[in-house]
Amino acid sequence: MDIPRIFTITESAHRIHNPFTPEKFAVLGAALRLASGARVLDLGCGSGEMLCTWARDHGVTGTGIDMSPLFIGQAKRRAEELGVAHQLKFIHGDAAGYVAEEKVSVAACVGATWIAGGVSGTIELLARSLHAGGIILIGEPYWWQLPPTEDVAKGCLAHAISDFLLLPELLASFGQLGCDVVEMVLADQDGWDRYEAAKWLTMRRWLEANPADELAKEVRAKLSSEPRRYATYTREYLGWGVFALMLR
Ligand SMILES: C[S@@+](CC[C@H](N)C(=O)[O-])C[C@H]1O[C@@H](n2cnc3c(N)ncnc32)[C@H](O)[C@@H]1O
């Protein structure tokens, strides 16, 4: 079981697989006022940076699940490196339908809401693992500026303008799903650069090491086109944030 290989090629050197920086995760951890020993569940945990740093900085315990064996291996090594492996469990698997055996204080899906068919399904899924009064974290894109045309939305790698909402509408939509928005931390363009531009050096080095690979042509084309596409579209139009929700 694995995610499409193109992601593990382009993001093999990432610790964080979204436009958040280590500073943004630190701000979010502090904003949530995490108690030592609090249990955190992270569906689509990637390389585990959120759980590992919160275990180190706030003493949380937790479980992360991800479909990528590469990312889960990186998460386990990061937990060892930070001396928090005894506080955390990383599982390689499909997070669709995953419900924790013991209820958690924080149930998160930070940038992988397709796991349960979108934001609404993901909130429902996470709620099944949550203590009464616990916090749900949803990491999700929104339109920083509304694209003027469908072509611009496609340039941002969306299927259509209707894929995402403007921030006020996204916040209002959480209310319509029965949640209070109790905190949020938003990514900025520097964070987008760390996420997107970091892929370019990774791709360049991968191409040098794997010139005969079956994906070499695709990676070559991506490396040639991505800087301009990203600067024209994603960097100008797409926002991203983590939203902390409590069920009403
Ligand atoms: C945008 S990344 C976010 C990763 C992580 N939350 C972070 O902040 O670094 C999405 C993650 O979802 C994982 N993923 C995709 N589909 C999945 C599934 N069905 N079950 C578990 N993980 C999945 C990918 O491997 C990837 O690590």
Side-chain angles (χ1 to χ4, degrees):
M1 183 190 299
D2 205 345
I3 59 174
R5 199 167 154 243
I6 189 72
F7 297 111
T8 49
I9 291 172
T10 57
E11 299 187 27
S12 63
H14 283 55
R15 268 197 188 137
I16 298 172
H17 305 269
N18 68 52
F20 253 28
T21 57
E23 293 74 25
K24 292 284 180 182
F25 269 133
V27 169
L28 179 63
L32 295 178
R33 306 169 207 171
L34 296 164
S36 180
R39 257 196 308 277
V40 181
L41 173 68
D42 190 5
L43 302 186
C45 65
S47 300
E49 191 67 4
M50 183 179 85
L51 280 175
C52 288
T53 53
W54 288 1
R56 177 194 63 193
D57 299 340
H58 301 285
V60 304
T61 64
T63 303
I65 298 137
D66 201 279
M67 206 182 239
S68 162
L70 175 74
F71 297 165
I72 281 293
Q74 290 178 166
K76 288 178 180 169
R77 283 193 293 282
R78 183 71 170 144
E80 295 284 350
E81 184 185 31
L82 296 187
V84 293
H86 59 291
Q87 289 159 251
L88 300 174
K89 188 166 151 195
F90 287 107
I91 301 169
H92 170 232
D94 188 348
Y98 185 91
V99 177
E101 280 167 19
E102 280 187 282
K103 301 265 184 202
V104 300
S105 304
V106 177
C109 180
V110 178
T113 51
W114 59 83
I115 281 172
V119 171
S120 167
T122 301
I123 290 174
E124 274 174 36
L125 174 61
L126 292 171
R128 292 167 60 197
S129 294
L130 201 65
H131 272 309
I135 289 180
I136 290 174
L137 295 180
I138 295 285
E140 190 67 5
Y142 61 90
W143 292 122
W144 170 260
Q145 275 193 78
L146 200 64
T149 64
E150 292 292 343
D151 281 346
V152 171
K154 288 191 174 75
C156 298
L157 307 183
H159 296 103
I161 296 173
S162 59
D163 279 10
F164 305 123
L165 299 170
L166 287 162
L167 182 60
E169 279 79 54
L170 178 60
L171 293 170
S173 75
F174 292 127
Q176 285 150 16
L177 295 171
C179 297
D180 287 323
V181 182
V182 297
E183 256 295 359
M184 71 175 185
V185 178
L186 303 180
D188 56 22
Q189 285 176 316
D190 288 339
W192 270 114
D193 294 348
R194 287 307 79 236
Y195 180 42
E196 294 294 337
K199 296 175 189 174
W200 309 337
L201 180 58
T202 303
M203 285 195 275
R204 173 59 201 246
R205 293 211 164 132
W206 182 88
L207 279 168
E208 283 165 10
N210 300 278
D213 191 280
E214 59 181 8
L215 287 190
K217 222 167 141 193
E218 181 181 340
V219 173
R220 176 68 253 170
K222 236 186 204 314
L223 177 57
S224 301
S225 62
E226 269 299 288
R228 182 172 182 176
R229 183 208 62 77
Y230 163 66
T232 309
Y233 298 111
T234 304
R235 196 174 197 275
E236 290 305 307
Y237 290 94
L238 207 57
W240 197 90
V242 180
F243 304 92
L245 313 173
M246 291 177 75
L247 299 172
R248 285 184 181 150

